[in-house]
């Protein structure tokens, strides 16, 4: 496709942040930082120029010469135009450094005053370009920035390629971009320096498209609309922005089943090629664009007799992608299909849908096409659509069911039973199940403007409340209205009381009130013979009692699991199955918990219950993390977070769990960022329950990062929050051992013992064996801090064995690590001139266990401990006299901080994250530290920490 200049975004509208390209941008920037070159390539509108400009701005500072050129298709026939762009402003600067023949050739090419061409003075001109670049490089690094290489005039391209291949170690780099659409980039790579990194820009994800639209102010757009924009644009950022702009400027949004409005700017990309089709071929393509999965057989069934020849004509024009092994026809880009459909007259569209309403084999597709071929209300069409919606719901496609429900409502006469608003409410409930909360809320509020029947109004209010998710504080004013609408009807009141139970928990942070409201809701539902609401309320009551450590929890779980069951409640993330899972995992029954949650996840995926899928992925990740399968847990947590961000559901909770997984198996810096993000989500939503979970995750990440003081600050707040919430079961957050360990590290063993004693009382009462083992591990540290090393070692040996039997692999490894540290510290020191004891061997068991768990951040701590132990042992004590750590006092503030963190065993990356600086800054700072202290390496700094100076 050729992107016309008249609708490209002006540079001033480009975001400073390269949305969706952060990793790619960092990779290209690192390549430039190493002195290499970069070639960006990808299709039109994919964002190459944006990345190129951002990299040039980031890397092309005042200490280097930047030469720029940007070619256009209309100018590609003009020889040496790009050369003039590159060297026109520096000709006077370099001409004096060129031999006469080269200077004449270059001036002739740039000014056109002479007759010099590549044919006449070819070698002189080639050497002139190479010499000019070398002359500029003498004064400092040179960056050549070339956009749209595909339009570069042939003469300039040949000259640049000649120079690029011969620059060698000369500090000249190239940053270029080229459009590749069905065309290889190899020839452009061959014309670049040998060390060039080729970076392909692919389509953006739906989440990234949403962020891009939001950044440009195209809000508010529902998630279903963003999904349509993403699909139609194919993830192309330029196309997505144009579609978003068209929607923002349109007075009315498209109705269900209708395509997005395609702006004239984008239609122009394909209409010129569509005009080359015959009229019949164009109609055949229109039918294909209206179909969900068009095939030649479907086109024949829809009356397109010459489909083969007509689709072949379209493929020859590049409108259809050819794949002999794929039965379905595929447009070369979704935009082609959208533009074709948008350009067709309404009568032709209806004709295409009418043909497909009998040709399609799937009953859901037939019903949809029938609706789009029909104008006005029609009870028969509405009934067909409602049946199709029920079928889609049963197949696990609630999003499709919601769309069909809205179509059914549009064709339902006002006096029908069920009426149009009842069908709209069913569509809203399907949208909630599909994770499209924005669409559901819009439908429900629309119904509330007309509805007078209490049952319909309460049902609509329930959708509004459900759509708020964890942000129940935002709909606080709804509850008095919905209570008034419910009157004294027990079925309606049960629905309201169930939501009030959630409000008490999330907004008020009052577990006791939440439990009471849930019990009331279950009683009302039973009286009104509403088994579904009764089961949901009992499940909520059971989960609340479990988290509270309430003695009635096991009995309530059994009541929630009692027959008859409701299939929807059985697999809902707040249903009976979920309540049972919580009980199992808090009771240390990890294999049963894994089997339960795996079955639930499989079922909600079959049903298309997106919100439940987000939560169950998180629950399974939590189970794997406790079991010591940290790599698997990290994969699941990241999947949950991706889905949460795509759907806008449970983002804070998924970020919290992903933080725990990252701190255990991935990137500690990312763990810290995610924990803070989760805490911010909870603060904004007013969600006290998840705020405590997020802060617990933050405290753990800080502990892994080597920041015990930060851990203490975070977990002290968790302690206060949970005391206020009435959460007594220490298996809920499992932060007590981390807080006690951090308190010991900062010299507060007394407070650590108090945390252990308080948690132990509840853990003993509830039989939380794994919690008791972790508390014993923390108490061993308290004893060691008080000088009771032998007792601490005995306690830790028992703890490690107990955690292993319970299946808590990561906690077992942590116990082995603490045990190794205590043994290492208690080991006899070598005498002067003697042989050092084999300290690192004491860490072998911990390293093996962490490696088995794939707990890389913890494994790095083991390596640091081994390094510190080796450094302290390899040198006899008599070689040099001890020195105090006040040797660091002569360092600057940043140097002292970096050196102190090295002494703690932190890696350069961990130091960078904790001090909010780059890894390169850490490396440069360490170089200065070595010079000032007269040492040579990190090991020498560790020796200082041990009270010794290197010779």
């Amino acid at each position: 496709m050729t992107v016309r200049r008249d609708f490209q975004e002006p540079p001033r509208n480009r975001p400073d942040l390269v949305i969706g390209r952060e990793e790619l941008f960092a990779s290209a920037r690192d390549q430039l930082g190493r002195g290499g070159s970069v070639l960006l390539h990808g299709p039109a509108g994919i964002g190459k120029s944006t990345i190129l400009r951002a990299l040039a701005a980031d890397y092309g500072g005042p200490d280097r010469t930047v030469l720029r050129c940007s070619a256009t298709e209309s100018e590609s026939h003009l020889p040496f135009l790009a050369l003039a762009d590159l060297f026109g402003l520096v000709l006077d600067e370099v001409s004096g450094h060129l031999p006469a023949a080269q200077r004449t050739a270059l001036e002739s090419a740039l000014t056109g005053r002479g007759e010099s061409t590549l044919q006449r003075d070819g070698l002189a001109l080639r050497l002139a370009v190479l010499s000019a670049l070398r002359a500029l490089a003498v004064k400092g690094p040179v960056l050549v920035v070339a956009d749209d290489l595909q339009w570069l005039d042939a003469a300039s391209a040949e000259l640049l390629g000649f120079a690029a291949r011969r620059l060698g170690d000369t500090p000249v780099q190239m940053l270029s971009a080229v459009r590749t659409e069905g065309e290889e980039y190899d020839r452009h790579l061959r014309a670049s320096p040998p060390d060039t990194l080729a970076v392909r820009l692919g389509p953006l994800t739906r989440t990234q498209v949403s962020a891009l639209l939001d950044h440009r102010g195209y809000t508010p757009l529902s998630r279903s609309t963003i999904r349509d924009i993403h699909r139609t644009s194919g993830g192309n950022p330029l196309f997505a922005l144009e579609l978003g702009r068209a929607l923002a400027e349109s007075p009315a949004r498209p109705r269900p089943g209708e395509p997005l409005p395609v702006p004239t700017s984008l239609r122009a990309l394909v209409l010129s090629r569509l005009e080359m089709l015959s009229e019949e071929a164009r109609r055949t393509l229109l039918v294909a664009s209206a179909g969900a999965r068009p095939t030649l057989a479907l086109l024949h069934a829809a009356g397109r007799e010459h489909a083969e020849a007509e689709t072949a004509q379209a493929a020859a024009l590049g409108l259809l992608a050819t794949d002999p092994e794929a039965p379905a026809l595929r447009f070369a880009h979704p935009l082609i299909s959208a533009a074709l459909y948008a350009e067709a007259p309404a009568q032709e569209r209806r004709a295409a849908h009418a043909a497909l309403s009998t040709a399609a084999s799937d009953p859901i597709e037939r019903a949809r096409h029938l609706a789009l071929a029909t104008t006005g209300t029609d009870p028969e069409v509405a009934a067909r659509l409602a049946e199709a919606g029920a079928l889609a719901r049963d197949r696990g496609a609630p999003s499709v069911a919601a769309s069909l429900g809205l179509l059914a409502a549009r064709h339902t006469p006002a006096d029908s039973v069920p009426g149009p608003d009842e069908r709209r409410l069913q569509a809203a409930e399907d949208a909630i199940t599909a994770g499209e909360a924005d669409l559901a809320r819009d439908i429900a509020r629309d119904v509330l403007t007309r509805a007078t029947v209490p049952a319909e109004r309460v049902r609509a209010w329930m959708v509004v409340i459900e759509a708020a998710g964890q942000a129940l504080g935002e709909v606080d004013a709804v509850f008095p209205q919905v209570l008034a609408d419910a009157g004294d009807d027990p079925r309606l009141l049960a629905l309201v009381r169930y939501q009030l139970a959630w409000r008490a928990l999330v907004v008020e942070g009052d577990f006791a009130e939440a439990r009471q409201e849930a019990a009331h809701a279950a009683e009302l539902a039973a009286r009104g013979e509403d088994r579904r609401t009764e089961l949901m309320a009992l499940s909520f009551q059971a989960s609340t009692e479990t988290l509270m450590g309430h003695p009635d929890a096991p009995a309530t779980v059994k009541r929630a699991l009692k027959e008859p069951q409701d299939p929807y409640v059985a697999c809902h993330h707040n249903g009976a199955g979920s309540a049972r899972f919580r009980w199992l995992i808090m009771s240390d029954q990890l294999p049963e918990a894994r089997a339960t949650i795996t079955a639930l996840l499989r079922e909600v995926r079959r049903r298309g219950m997106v919100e439940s899928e987000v939560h169950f992925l998180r629950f399974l990740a939590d189970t794997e993390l406790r079991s010591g399968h940290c790599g698997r847990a990290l994969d699941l947590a990241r999947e949950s977070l991706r889905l949460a961000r795509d759907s806008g559901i449970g983002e804070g909770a998924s970020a919290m769990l992903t933080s725990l997984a990252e701190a255990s198996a991935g990137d500690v810096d990312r763990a810290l960022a995610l924990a803070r993000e989760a805490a911010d989500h909870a603060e904004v939503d007013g969600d006290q329950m998840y705020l405590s979970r997020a802060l617990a995750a933050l405290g753990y990440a800080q502990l892994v990062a080597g920041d015990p003081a930060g851990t203490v600050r975070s977990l002290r707040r968790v302690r206060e929050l949970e005391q206020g919430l009435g959460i007594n079961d220490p298996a809920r957050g499992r932060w007590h051992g981390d807080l006690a360990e951090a308190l010991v590290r900062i010299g507060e063993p007394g407070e650590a013992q108090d945390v252990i004693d308080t948690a132990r009382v509840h853990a003993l009462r509830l039989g939380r064996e794994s919690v008791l083992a972790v508390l014993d591990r923390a108490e061993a540290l308290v004893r060691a801090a008080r000088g009771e090393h032998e007792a601490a070692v005995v306690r830790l040996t028992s703890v490690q064995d107990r955690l292993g039997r319970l299946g808590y692999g990561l906690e077992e490894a942590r116990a082995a690590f603490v045990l190794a540290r205590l043994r290492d510290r208690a080991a006899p020191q070598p005498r002067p001139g003697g042989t050092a004891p084999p300290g690192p061997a004491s860490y072998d068991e911990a390293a093996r266990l962490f490696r088995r768990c794939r707990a890389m951040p913890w494994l790095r701590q083991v390596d640091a401990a081994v390094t510190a132990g080796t450094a302290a042992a390899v040198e006899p004590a008599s070689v040099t006299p001890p020195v105090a750590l006040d040797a660091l006092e002569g360092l600057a503030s940043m140097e002292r901080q970096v050196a102190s963190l090295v002494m703690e065993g932190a890696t350069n990356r961990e130091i960078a994250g904790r001090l909010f600086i780059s890894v390169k800054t850490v490396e440069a700072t360490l170089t200065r530290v070595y010079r000032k202290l007269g040492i040579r390496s990190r090991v020498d700094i560790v020796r200082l920490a041990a009270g010794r100076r290197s010779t």
Side-chain angles (χ1 to χ4, degrees):
M1 296 180 191
T2 299
V3 180
R4 289 169 39 155
R5 295 274 170 174
D6 59 357
F7 72 91
Q8 287 188 327
E9 306 163 79
R12 64 179 179 278
N13 290 336
R14 297 287 187 184
D16 293 332
L17 174 66
V18 186
I19 292 174
R21 310 294 194 193
E22 292 83 1
E23 290 186 13
L24 179 151
F25 183 84
S27 174
R29 186 174 54 190
D30 289 346
Q31 170 72 358
L32 292 171
R34 291 190 293 268
S37 297
V38 174
L39 173 67
L40 306 169
H41 65 101
I46 204 68
K48 301 180 297 299
S49 296
T50 303
I51 299 289
L52 183 113
R53 283 197 288 270
L55 285 168
D58 189 64
Y59 189 69
D63 58 335
R64 69 184 68 245
T65 300
V66 181
L67 309 177
R68 303 174 187 270
C69 69
S70 182
T72 63
E73 184 177 12
S74 61
E75 300 167 343
S76 60
H77 66 285
L78 299 173
F80 305 124
L81 188 62
L83 199 67
D85 286 344
L86 290 170
F87 293 103
L89 297 178
V90 296
L91 181 60
D92 292 340
E93 186 179 340
V94 301
S95 60
H97 299 277
L98 304 182
Q102 293 181 22
R103 181 169 60 249
T104 301
L106 184 59
E107 289 176 348
S108 296
L110 298 187
T111 64
R113 290 196 298 268
E115 298 178 354
S116 178
T117 65
L118 276 174
Q119 289 74 30
R120 181 181 180 88
D121 295 320
L123 182 59
L125 185 53
R126 290 181 178 91
L127 293 174
V129 172
L130 181 58
S131 299
L133 290 171
R134 285 173 173 163
L136 290 170
V138 170
K139 300 178 180 180
V142 177
L143 179 66
V144 177
V145 182
D147 199 3
D148 283 319
L149 281 184
Q150 73 277 2
W151 305 133
L152 214 66
D153 64 273
S156 297
E158 202 280 337
L159 290 167
L160 277 179
F162 176 87
R165 292 189 295 271
R166 290 164 176 79
L167 284 167
D169 295 333
T170 307
V172 176
Q173 298 167 261
M174 284 190 66
L175 171 60
S176 50
V178 61
R179 181 182 307 173
T180 52
E181 202 158 26
E183 173 193 346
E184 294 300 323
Y185 63 91
D186 289 1
R187 64 186 182 90
H188 298 287
L189 193 59
R190 286 193 294 271
S192 304
D195 60 351
T196 299
L197 172 69
V199 178
R200 177 165 181 79
L201 276 71
L204 299 180
T205 66
R206 189 194 309 178
T207 303
Q208 291 163 348
V209 166
S210 176
L212 180 63
L213 292 166
D214 184 62
H215 186 88
R216 296 300 177 85
Y218 297 141
T219 54
L221 296 173
S222 69
R223 297 196 177 274
S224 58
T225 301
I226 290 171
R227 181 192 60 206
D228 290 342
I229 290 175
H230 179 256
R231 184 181 62 245
T232 303
S233 68
N236 185 298
L238 179 60
F239 299 168
L241 286 169
E242 285 295 302
L243 290 166
R245 181 179 59 79
L247 277 171
E249 294 174 356
S250 176
R253 298 286 164 86
R255 294 188 296 182
E258 291 183 344
L260 296 176
V262 180
T264 304
S265 57
L266 292 185
R267 291 190 202 183
L269 291 175
V270 295
L271 290 183
S272 58
R273 276 185 274 179
L274 288 172
E275 290 170 359
M276 300 170 69
L277 288 171
S278 66
E279 189 62 31
E280 289 302 310
R282 185 165 178 161
R283 286 178 181 167
T284 295
L285 282 196
L286 176 60
V287 175
S289 72
R293 187 177 171 79
T295 62
L296 288 171
L298 178 66
L299 294 177
H300 280 299
R304 307 311 301 169
E305 297 179 2
H306 306 292
E308 284 89 350
E310 289 158 354
T311 55
Q313 182 187 359
L317 292 171
L319 297 168
L320 290 177
T322 55
D323 186 352
E325 297 183 3
L329 298 170
R330 185 169 59 86
F331 284 89
H333 192 282
L335 185 63
I336 297 173
S337 174
L340 173 65
Y341 190 94
E343 189 69 13
Q347 185 177 353
E348 288 188 18
R349 292 189 206 172
R350 285 197 296 272
H353 286 295
L356 289 168
S357 69
T358 57
S361 59
D362 186 85
I364 293 176
E365 276 300 293
R366 288 200 300 270
R368 186 179 74 86
H369 289 303
L370 179 62
L372 295 173
T374 305
T375 57
T377 59
D378 186 322
E380 183 179 344
V381 172
R384 288 267 305 273
L385 286 162
E387 291 170 6
L391 180 58
R393 197 175 306 117
D394 186 58
R395 286 183 181 177
S399 180
V400 174
S403 177
L404 291 167
L406 289 174
L407 284 170
R410 195 167 91 197
H411 291 286
T412 301
D415 56 353
S416 293
V417 177
D421 279 344
E422 188 171 347
R423 283 183 165 144
R424 288 187 182 95
L425 287 172
Q426 179 62 65
E429 289 163 356
D430 286 329
I432 286 286
T433 302
E436 297 182 10
D438 294 343
L439 175 62
R441 180 174 51 246
D442 291 346
I443 295 169
R445 290 201 177 276
D446 175 56
V447 170
L448 284 167
T449 62
R450 295 181 302 274
T452 56
V453 178
E456 284 190 357
R457 290 189 61 79
V458 171
R459 191 176 173 188
W461 283 125
M462 291 300 103
V463 170
V464 172
I465 294 169
E466 287 280 355
Q470 297 294 114
L472 283 176
E474 295 178 3
V475 293
D476 224 15
V478 162
F479 288 101
Q481 300 176 56
V482 70
L483 277 170
D485 285 332
D488 56 3
D489 186 327
R491 289 177 66 92
L492 300 181
L493 280 172
L495 292 169
V496 183
R497 289 294 170 189
Y498 174 70
Q499 294 296 346
L500 283 170
W502 275 105
R503 180 190 175 279
L505 184 64
V506 173
V507 179
E508 300 296 333
D510 191 331
F511 271 69
E513 184 184 349
R515 173 181 175 271
Q516 193 171 10
E517 286 284 10
H520 190 190
E523 179 188 340
L524 287 166
R527 197 189 317 162
E529 299 181 349
D530 180 357
R531 182 61 174 164
R532 172 173 290 190
T533 303
E534 181 187 6
L535 288 171
M536 290 294 287
L538 284 171
S539 300
F540 180 84
Q541 182 183 345
S543 294
T544 305
E545 289 174 350
T546 298
L547 295 173
M548 294 171 69
H550 196 284
D552 291 348
T556 309
V557 170
K558 288 182 180 178
R559 285 178 63 199
L561 292 167
K562 190 176 179 181
E563 297 292 340
Q565 281 292 312
D566 181 288
Y568 173 81
V569 176
C571 65
H572 192 274
H573 59 280
N574 290 321
S578 184
R580 180 172 182 269
F581 164 77
R582 287 189 179 92
W583 173 255
L584 289 169
I585 198 167
M586 292 178 70
S587 302
D588 297 325
Q589 300 179 58
L590 296 182
E592 282 190 61
R594 182 187 293 106
T596 298
I597 201 63
T598 300
L600 288 170
L601 179 59
R602 188 184 306 116
E603 180 62 16
V604 298
R605 280 175 165 166
R606 188 188 72 80
R607 290 172 171 266
M609 298 169 67
V610 175
E611 183 172 8
S612 294
E613 182 180 357
V614 170
H615 290 293
F616 289 160
L617 278 169
R618 179 166 54 84
F619 292 169
L620 182 55
D622 190 16
T623 308
E624 298 293 4
L625 194 59
R626 294 181 191 219
S627 302
H629 305 149
C630 300
R632 167 75 171 147
L634 182 57
D635 291 341
L636 288 164
R638 286 173 174 172
E639 185 181 352
S640 172
L641 185 58
R642 280 194 299 270
L643 186 57
R645 286 177 170 164
D646 279 347
S647 60
I649 295 170
E651 291 183 69
S654 293
M656 174 273 297
L657 199 281
T658 308
S659 170
L660 290 171
E662 289 282 0
S664 299
D667 186 323
V668 180
D669 293 339
R670 180 165 167 75
L672 292 165
L674 284 169
R676 292 186 177 105
E677 176 189 331
D680 289 343
H681 270 289
E683 293 271 22
V684 170
D685 292 343
D687 186 343
Q688 298 295 300
M689 184 173 64
Y690 267 112
L691 178 59
S692 70
R693 296 295 306 274
L695 290 172
L698 177 59
Y700 173 70
Q702 289 167 323
L703 186 68
V704 178
D707 180 13
T711 298
V712 169
R713 286 193 300 272
S714 297
L715 297 186
R716 275 175 176 165
R717 190 177 175 198
V718 173
R719 192 182 190 188
E720 294 171 4
L721 283 168
E722 293 203 353
Q723 285 175 348
L725 289 167
I727 297 174
N728 295 316
D729 192 337
R732 186 251 183 179
R734 295 177 172 271
W735 47 266
H736 310 75
D738 291 340
L739 175 56
E741 181 175 336
L743 284 165
V744 171
R745 288 195 193 182
I746 66 169
E748 296 287 349
E751 185 182 346
Q753 188 65 56
D754 180 60
V755 170
I756 293 165
D757 292 342
T758 303
R760 184 177 280 137
V761 170
H762 296 292
L764 283 168
R765 176 176 60 85
L766 296 166
R768 303 300 191 229
E769 291 297 327
S770 64
V771 173
L772 288 168
V774 169
L775 292 173
D776 284 350
R777 183 184 70 202
E779 189 170 47
L781 288 171
V782 174
R783 290 191 173 191
R786 291 172 174 167
E788 303 171 24
H789 283 276
E790 186 175 342
V793 167
V794 171
R795 175 66 63 89
L796 282 168
T797 304
S798 168
V799 164
Q800 182 182 339
D801 183 59
R802 286 156 57 197
L803 288 168
R805 287 200 309 270
L806 289 168
Y808 284 79
L810 181 59
E811 298 294 358
E812 178 192 4
R814 288 181 62 182
F817 185 31
V818 173
L819 180 59
R821 275 185 161 171
L822 289 187
R823 284 173 170 165
D824 195 38
R825 290 171 187 168
Q829 295 299 313
R831 295 181 178 181
T835 303
S842 63
Y843 291 96
D844 287 350
E845 175 71 357
R848 182 185 68 81
L849 292 173
F850 281 133
R851 197 174 291 112
R852 185 181 69 182
C853 295
R854 286 178 55 192
M856 302 313 295
W858 284 106
L859 193 58
R860 285 192 288 271
Q861 288 200 27
V862 173
D863 290 342
V866 170
T867 300
T870 302
V874 293
E875 187 170 333
S878 62
V879 172
T880 53
V883 296
L885 290 182
D886 60 8
L888 302 186
E889 293 302 317
L891 302 178
S893 174
M894 177 61 71
E895 294 165 352
R896 191 163 55 249
Q897 291 181 65
V898 170
S900 297
L901 290 172
V902 170
M903 289 177 175
E904 293 178 17
T907 65
N908 285 3
R909 184 175 181 80
E910 290 166 346
I911 295 170
R914 288 168 62 180
L915 299 181
F916 302 100
I917 57 179
S918 70
V919 173
K920 286 188 176 181
T921 302
V922 174
E923 293 169 350
T925 304
L926 279 174
T927 300
R928 293 194 300 271
V929 170
Y930 299 156
R931 185 174 63 251
K932 289 183 178 181
L933 297 182
I935 59 179
R936 296 185 297 272
S937 69
R938 293 172 62 93
V939 172
D940 293 333
I941 296 183
V942 174
R943 287 172 175 158
L944 283 177
R948 304 184 185 282
R949 175 177 295 158
S950 171
T951 56

